[in-house]
Amino acid sequence: MLSGKQKRFLRARGSLIRPSVYVGKEGFTPAVVSETLTQLNSQELVKVRVQPNSLEEPREVAALLAEETQSQLVQVAGRNFLLYRRHPEKPVIELP
């Protein structure tokens, strides 16, 4: 689990990045899970955007995606959310 200080640190970093995974009108699909896993393995911190034409709620998608990718949900802000998963061998982000 992430502490409050670690979440603040990740939210600050997340505000500087653009969404790299998009959830469209098809909603939560295996392709979204696959792309999120790829991004988490390379970047550790991923911003996901739920498009306005999606029928699913961002909080629901965030919870499902965090569970499927075994990552931690850092923040949900509007239609965007941040997921974090530490790389087991070569961590990129040093948490406080």
Side-chain angles (χ1 to χ4, degrees):
M1 292 300 294
L2 295 171
S3 70
K5 186 175 185 176
Q6 291 170 330
K7 283 186 178 184
R8 280 192 304 276
F9 174 79
L10 291 171
R11 282 195 307 261
R13 269 189 93 137
S15 69
L16 303 174
I17 62 175
R18 292 178 169 233
S20 56
V21 178
Y22 292 89
V23 179
K25 65 180 178 181
E26 289 86 26
F28 185 76
T29 63
V32 170
V33 174
S34 175
E35 182 59 26
T36 304
L37 285 170
T38 302
Q39 295 293 324
L40 283 168
N41 286 333
S42 66
Q43 299 174 16
E44 293 184 330
L45 184 65
V46 177
K47 186 180 275 188
V48 181
R49 172 140 178 95
V50 178
Q51 299 288 13
N53 61 353
S54 177
L55 300 177
E56 299 181 29
E57 289 297 315
R59 287 195 182 278
E60 293 172 9
V61 174
L64 284 170
L65 200 52
E67 185 178 321
E68 284 291 318
T69 60
Q70 294 155 4
S71 59
Q72 296 194 23
L73 180 60
V74 176
Q75 175 186 32
V76 178
R79 302 195 75 75
N80 296 322
F81 58 91
L82 290 171
L83 295 175
Y84 171 76
R85 186 177 74 185
R86 185 173 190 268
H87 194 280
E89 298 165 10
K90 297 181 253 177
V92 176
I93 299 173
E94 282 294 320
L95 293 177

